[in-house]
Amino acid sequence: MTTGLLELPLKGLHAELGGKFVPFAGYSMPVQYAAGVMAEHLWTREKAGLFDVSHMGQVRLPLDQASALEQIAPIEVEGLAEGRQRYGFLTNEAGGLVDDFMIARYADCFVIVINAARRAEDLALFEKHLAGFEVITDRALLALQGPLAESALARLLPDVATLRFMDVRRLTWQGLELWLSRSGYTGEDGFEISVPVSVCNAFARALLAMDEVAPIGLGARDSLRMEAGLPLYGNDLSETISPVEAGLSWGISKSRRLDEAKAGGYLGVGVIASHLAGEAARKRIGLVPEGRAPMRGGVPLFLSETSQTQIGEITSGGFSPSLGHPIAMALVQSDTDAHAPIWGELRGKRHPMRQVDLPFFKTSYKR
Amino acid sequence: MRFTEEHEWLLVDGDLVVVGITEHAATQLGDVVFVELPELETAAAKGDEVVVIESVKAASDILAPLDGEIVEVNDALVDNPSLVNDDPTGEAWFFKMKVDDLSAVDAYMTEDEYKDFIGE
């Protein structure tokens, strides 16, 4: 059947495992397997979950392009040490977010992982500002996440135990080079593993053969990242939201801030600097609905049951399997009192919510 | 038991009609985490959205399959929404209606017709 969707290299394996496919960012992706979203979510928090994130873009960048990348991202790239990874984002002239990404430094190049849905916009920006970059097409990207991820992966690659959070390393498996980072998108300890397509099936099957490893779909990936308070581009991040409004000020490297060595020099610096100085109009917050009804993206928010003045909206929300109640993230006016109850309007009725600190669920990275 | 194209089942119980969702629908929805039931003694017209179900994936509605009045609701689902996945055609009934015309139930699909409809 032709659907116009791109297929993952492991599509056959997903189908064999009972994967239910949905369109996502131009790809046909497994949203869940036979176990279902709830069970897959809880498995990842207790054991080790295997995610296929091969839809994400992997881009190789020459080391001499570090300062060029700093013109489109407010992060320190030149100073990133070999064997380390950093979170970053691309900005536009208006100070909004074009995409968020991970960048790893290896001995001979950088590797950047970008969102599938933002590939076209990112590559347009790269074309304009960077030389010699190359989109990698012969590698799958897998993530193994959860408290048992290290011990499971170490059975195939004993050296992984020596990586700390955000370390990256190349290791050999069946004569081929895997690129590993100790990171992820679930709030759990774990790894992302770039695997040559020629062995990705064998590698995934070797992991799935272990009792503690189960395949996890996009549905649980979304609920896991929400519990961990991690924003998703397209929901919580967009071209009209600045990194400061999105709660990502921590990702703007110190060297790129006012009066520092490499202050400014990136797209949208005027707006972003003013937001850093306290002039952001909005902020991202965590919310817990008082009732059981999940409040999802797009729900308008108010300061009372009757107020006509909307103060923002939910950007991501759903049921938290680990906590057993709904959770949501929202973008609201920055002057909103951090203790004020917030009301969300769902199906014509207002429901109260309380503000909470992010993350909802304590993260357990191996720092 | 009769079945609607919206994947509801209808069971005549005396002068009432019991309404729930099919196993097929429950499987498609995934883990149900929230159920909002109608108020008792609500008049409902065929096609009215009377119940909201939310799974971990999405929200959906149950429509009143007939004209009538909601006379009983299954409060157990509010405290334990996962019953919808565990026993969709038994314990997880949603509401009972007093309908104007019981014979209208027969206009809906039989089990065999429903199985054809969902391609089983």
Side-chain angles (χ1 to χ4, degrees):
Chain A
M1 189 171 68
T2 308
T3 56
L5 293 173
L6 300 166
E7 299 286 0
L8 299 173
L10 288 176
K11 129 185 153 172
L13 176 60
H14 299 310
E16 210 177 287
L17 294 165
K20 266 194 212 170
F21 292 86
V22 296
F24 180 81
Y27 281 79
S28 173
M29 305 273 300
V31 66
Q32 64 162 82
Y33 300 88
V37 176
M38 196 94 80
E40 291 169 24
H41 178 114
L42 297 173
W43 182 282
T44 307
R45 291 261 181 259
E46 282 162 25
K47 297 177 179 181
L50 183 66
F51 302 75
D52 185 353
V53 289
S54 303
H55 61 304
M56 299 190 79
Q58 303 182 66
V59 180
R60 193 194 315 257
L61 185 69
L63 291 178
D64 65 8
Q65 294 297 300
S67 66
L69 181 58
E70 289 179 355
Q71 294 167 20
I72 47 176
I75 61 166
E76 174 66 46
V77 183
E78 290 176 314
L80 180 61
E82 185 184 327
R84 291 289 289 165
Q85 177 173 266
R86 171 166 291 163
Y87 176 71
F89 26 81
L90 302 167
T91 52
N92 59 26
E93 281 88 351
L97 290 156
V98 175
D99 197 7
D100 62 341
F101 63 82
M102 284 287 189
I103 178 166
R105 183 179 194 137
Y106 292 98
D108 57 350
C109 68
F110 293 109
V111 174
I112 306 176
V113 176
I114 58 175
N115 282 304
R118 301 300 292 171
R119 184 186 301 250
E121 292 81 1
D122 294 356
L123 295 181
L125 212 49
F126 289 176
E127 283 292 347
K128 207 167 151 192
H129 294 270
L130 306 177
F133 70 88
E134 179 200 341
V135 178
I136 297 164
T137 55
D138 57 356
R139 285 180 170 265
L141 191 63
L142 303 175
L144 188 69
Q145 302 278 297
L148 302 184
E150 179 192 292
S151 56
L153 191 56
R155 266 180 258 154
L156 305 181
L157 302 160
D159 287 350
V160 297
T162 63
L163 272 71
R164 290 176 300 140
F165 182 58
M166 296 295 256
D167 277 351
V168 299
R169 191 154 325 154
R170 288 173 171 155
L171 296 173
T172 303
W173 189 73
Q174 297 199 346
L176 291 166
E177 199 175 72
L178 310 189
W179 306 341
L180 292 101
S181 72
R182 190 151 199 167
S183 62
Y185 195 47
T186 59
E188 292 297 323
D189 178 33
F191 300 84
E192 292 197 345
I193 312 142
S194 174
V195 189
V197 166
S198 59
V199 291
C200 68
N201 201 311
F203 185 74
R205 283 176 194 274
L207 286 170
L208 289 167
M210 300 177 193
D211 287 343
E212 69 270 43
V213 179
I216 311 295
L218 271 187
R221 182 169 164 84
D222 195 45
S223 52
L224 288 159
R225 69 95 193 162
M226 275 197 271
E227 284 183 357
L230 298 170
L232 171 65
Y233 199 97
N235 286 35
D236 315 284
L237 312 178
S238 81
E239 293 203 0
T240 58
I241 301 171
S242 85
V244 180
E245 291 176 316
L248 300 176
S249 299
W250 60 270
I252 301 173
S253 301
K254 186 169 178 291
S255 65
R256 309 302 307 279
R257 298 189 183 212
L258 197 64
D259 299 330
E260 296 292 339
K262 290 195 281 187
Y266 54 86
L267 295 179
V269 59
V271 173
I272 293 171
S274 78
H275 285 190
L276 278 171
E279 288 169 40
R282 299 170 296 179
K283 62 180 177 183
R284 181 163 62 98
I285 60 167
L287 292 170
V288 171
E290 301 287 359
R292 289 191 68 119
M295 306 277 249
R296 302 180 197 270
V299 167
L301 302 175
F302 303 86
L303 282 175
S304 76
E305 194 169 3
T306 51
S307 166
Q308 293 301 303
T309 313
Q310 190 180 333
I311 58 150
E313 69 172 28
I314 290 180
T315 51
S316 283
F319 185 80
S320 160
S322 300
L323 302 173
H325 60 68
I327 55 173
M329 291 190 278
L331 201 61
V332 298
Q333 288 172 11
S334 53
D335 59 2
T336 305
D337 181 331
H339 302 289
I342 307 279
W343 296 73
E345 189 167 303
L346 190 65
R347 299 181 280 268
K349 256 193 270 175
R350 299 266 175 102
H351 299 265
M353 287 178 280
R354 61 192 158 84
Q355 299 186 50
V356 297
D357 290 336
L358 296 172
F360 299 98
F361 188 86
K362 196 176 173 300
T363 57
S364 38
Y365 306 125
K366 287 279 151 58
R367 293 188 193 271
Chain B
M1 207 175 254
R2 293 283 175 156
F3 300 86
T4 74
E5 292 190 0
E6 282 76 38
H7 308 284
E8 291 158 31
W9 56 259
L10 283 65
L11 185 68
V12 175
D13 176 15
D15 62 343
L16 301 180
V17 178
V18 190
V19 180
I21 65 167
T22 66
E23 186 143 8
H24 174 78
T27 305
Q28 292 299 315
L29 275 173
D31 305 301
V32 174
V33 295
F34 173 74
V35 172
E36 188 176 274
L37 297 167
E39 310 235 334
L40 286 181
E41 286 157 38
T42 309
K46 180 176 170 178
D48 283 357
E49 294 163 3
V50 284
V51 174
V52 177
I53 312 179
E54 297 236 12
S55 74
V56 281
K57 285 182 278 186
S60 51
D61 301 304
I62 296 185
L63 310 179
L66 301 161
D67 295 336
E69 185 189 352
I70 310 281
V71 293
E72 230 178 291
V73 295
N74 187 357
D75 286 320
L77 299 181
V78 174
D79 297 326
N80 188 9
S82 61
L83 269 183
V84 178
N85 299 109
D86 297 341
D87 192 10
T89 50
E91 270 189 76
W93 58 275
F94 283 85
F95 56 88
K96 296 183 185 178
M97 288 184 90
K98 184 175 261 176
V99 302
D100 304 341
D101 175 16
L102 264 184
S103 70
V105 172
D106 296 333
Y108 284 112
M109 289 181 272
T110 63
E111 185 161 5
D112 285 345
E113 287 166 342
Y114 179 70
K115 278 184 176 166
D116 282 346
F117 176 70
I118 58 174
E120 267 182 14

